[in-house]
Amino acid sequence: MKTRMMQIIDSENVRDEELREAARILRTGGLVAFPTETVYGLGANALDEKASGKIYAAKGRPSDNPLIAHISAIEELKPLVKEIPEMGRRLAEAFWPGPLTLIFPKSERVPYGTTGGLDTVAVRMPGMAVARRLIALAGVPVAAPSANLSGRPSPTTAQHVWQDMQGRIELILDGGPVGIGVESTIVDVSGKIPTLLRPGAITIEMLEKVASTVAIDPALMGKPDSMIRPKAPGMKYRHYAPKAEMTLVEGKTEAVVREIRQLVDEQMMAGHRVGILCTEETREQYPRGILRCVGARSDEEMIAHNLFAVLREFDDLQVDCIYSESFPQNHLGYAIMNRMQKAAGYRMIHAK
Ligand code: TXA
Ligand code: MG
């Protein structure tokens, strides 16, 4: 299959003509990658099992890993769900359109092929206007996982999508680099207490202002093992993984820098190519190794924005191992560290 790339001229003021072809492909059962405010999505008609099946094939995604149905307006929620629990309604009102995915009991209209066999469905109304307009023109809810090959970091530019999906899908809509850079927060509202399944830009602190209690899926607390099954099936896979072995180093910044310098020296003596994921504040302090800076420690939004691109760069640079600084786990830092721990396969050293 030949993949076409189409550039959106101005993402803030997208014209319908620019989206007609993409909408037609989605309506007729094809695959289109498109930008959202979190990461690029790989879209198909969520109500057409055959179409959503193509997503699994294109990504190499395990078929038990359910897809998020994206909608363009709140009226489109009702047909997809059995009921809208009070907490679901309140969270949707507070944070949609935006980087929040809610899990509801599914209606009969949503095929099991889209939900990975589950009786629940994940729904999100994206904040980016291009995405909403595309869904509206397609006239169907759009199932869309992140548009990466399964196991690679999520794409935050159309070029990342091209690297992974070239030859596998009909069309890539290029709307420029995404804003946020980490995937949406997922909250399950199908039970009594809303439960966080994946941290994102809608932080726990923000959720708690709307829902006084928010439970956290125990699987989020640490390294997944066979005893604790994550409620979001996708969270059990080693996601976001760079090809090289990555190790996180935590502790006071000075100690972290000292530890990483020592580890880098050891690895280089052994003849390895070593990557260092560092920050503006520390970049001058590493004399050796291949440095990539994710942003300033004081600006976690910038770190989230750059993280996946930096992991992909390390792949391109063909490093053998990566040592990375760590970040505080409150606010957006929780989502950042969740992705980094997964990328590192939970390898973490405490620097003293
Ligand atoms: O920001 C995002 O959410 C992006 C953009 C494209 O919207 N999409 C995205 O999709 O990250 P994906 O497929 O890469 O991640 C969806 C996660 C997976 O971990 C999946 O297991 C979980 O959501 N999920 C989907 N439906 C679910 C359900 N019914 N119950 C529990 N978890 C669900
Ligand atoms: Mg994904």
Side-chain angles (χ1 to χ4, degrees):
M1 183 184 305
K2 198 153 178 255
T3 303
R4 277 172 301 152
M5 179 96 117
M6 233 192 82
Q7 200 135 11
I8 307 284
I9 296 162
D10 175 3
S11 294
E12 312 269 293
N13 301 292
V14 65
R15 291 171 303 121
D16 283 358
E17 302 86 86
E18 298 179 272
L19 300 175
R20 284 245 156 73
E21 173 63 3
R24 188 195 60 77
I25 294 170
L26 288 173
R27 211 170 29 245
T28 52
L31 300 182
V32 176
F34 63 96
T36 82
E37 76 278 29
T38 56
V39 299
Y40 271 75
L42 177 56
N45 179 354
L47 301 180
D48 176 352
E49 212 156 17
K50 246 178 88 188
S52 54
K54 291 183 191 168
I55 290 179
Y56 290 92
K59 278 182 63 92
R61 181 175 173 112
S63 62
D64 69 344
N65 191 1
L67 306 173
I68 300 172
H70 294 69
I71 57 175
S72 69
I74 193 77
E75 305 78 65
E76 296 162 25
L77 173 62
K78 221 169 156 196
L80 303 179
V81 302
K82 207 152 150 196
E83 52 171 339
I84 302 178
E86 169 65 10
M87 208 38 88
R89 190 185 56 75
R90 279 171 51 185
L91 289 169
E93 264 171 18
F95 299 113
W96 279 1
L100 176 68
T101 296
L102 295 169
I103 312 277
F104 297 94
K106 81 169 193 72
S107 72
E108 310 250 302
R109 289 194 65 186
V110 182
Y112 284 113
T114 298
T115 68
L118 298 176
D119 287 314
T120 50
V121 60
V123 186
R124 169 160 117 83
M125 192 199 305
M128 191 172 181
V130 171
R132 285 204 309 281
R133 192 63 197 146
L134 172 65
I135 299 161
L137 289 173
V140 292
V142 174
S146 48
N148 50 284
L149 285 175
S150 206
R152 293 213 70 201
S154 293
T156 54
T157 65
Q159 286 67 40
H160 295 162
V161 180
W162 178 259
Q163 288 170 358
D164 284 13
M165 289 298 151
Q166 173 193 5
R168 296 168 176 262
I169 65 176
E170 279 87 348
L171 182 66
I172 300 170
L173 280 181
D174 180 357
V178 301
I180 294 171
V182 292
E183 308 86 343
S184 62
T185 305
I186 304 180
V187 177
D188 185 350
V189 291
S190 69
K192 276 212 187 81
I193 301 170
T195 304
L196 181 76
L197 307 190
R198 178 173 75 182
I202 304 295
T203 63
I204 300 200
E205 292 86 347
M206 292 159 77
L207 293 167
E208 280 173 345
K209 287 200 178 133
V210 179
S212 45
T213 19
V214 179
I216 297 177
D217 185 5
L220 275 183
M221 302 295 190
K223 184 176 172 151
D225 58 40
S226 51
M227 302 298 285
I228 313 172
R229 252 173 175 268
K231 281 188 83 181
M235 298 293 276
K236 72 172 176 274
Y237 299 107
R238 178 169 175 250
H239 250 183
Y240 323 110
K243 289 172 189 153
E245 186 174 282
M246 175 160 151
T247 305
L248 304 181
V249 183
E250 60 159 10
K252 289 221 174 66
T253 305
E254 286 156 49
V256 166
V257 172
R258 215 179 312 123
E259 180 78 29
I260 292 180
R261 282 174 62 155
Q262 193 180 335
L263 289 162
V264 169
D265 284 345
E266 285 167 15
Q267 291 289 337
M268 287 182 73
M269 293 264 268
H272 294 144
R273 271 168 79 77
V274 189
I276 304 173
L277 189 151
C278 69
T279 49
E280 293 293 349
E281 290 87 342
T282 57
R283 68 187 314 162
E284 305 283 314
Q285 299 172 42
Y286 298 103
R288 308 175 71 196
I290 300 169
L291 285 176
R292 284 296 175 274
C293 177
V294 273
R297 299 190 73 82
S298 55
D299 183 356
E300 52 183 20
E301 285 177 13
M302 189 52 82
I303 294 171
H305 178 83
N306 291 332
L307 179 63
F308 288 141
V310 166
L311 294 182
R312 277 178 180 260
E313 262 191 82
F314 280 128
D315 279 352
D316 298 339
L317 290 162
Q318 300 193 314
V319 294
D320 300 305
C321 57
I322 304 165
Y323 293 103
S324 172
E325 296 179 13
S326 301
F327 302 97
Q329 300 217 26
N330 48 0
H331 302 284
L332 189 53
Y334 188 26
I336 292 168
M337 283 300 287
N338 169 266
R339 304 317 190 268
M340 290 184 62
Q341 281 176 327
K342 280 150 83 47
Y346 297 87
R347 255 182 308 276
M348 169 92 93
I349 292 176
H350 188 83
K352 284 195 218 66

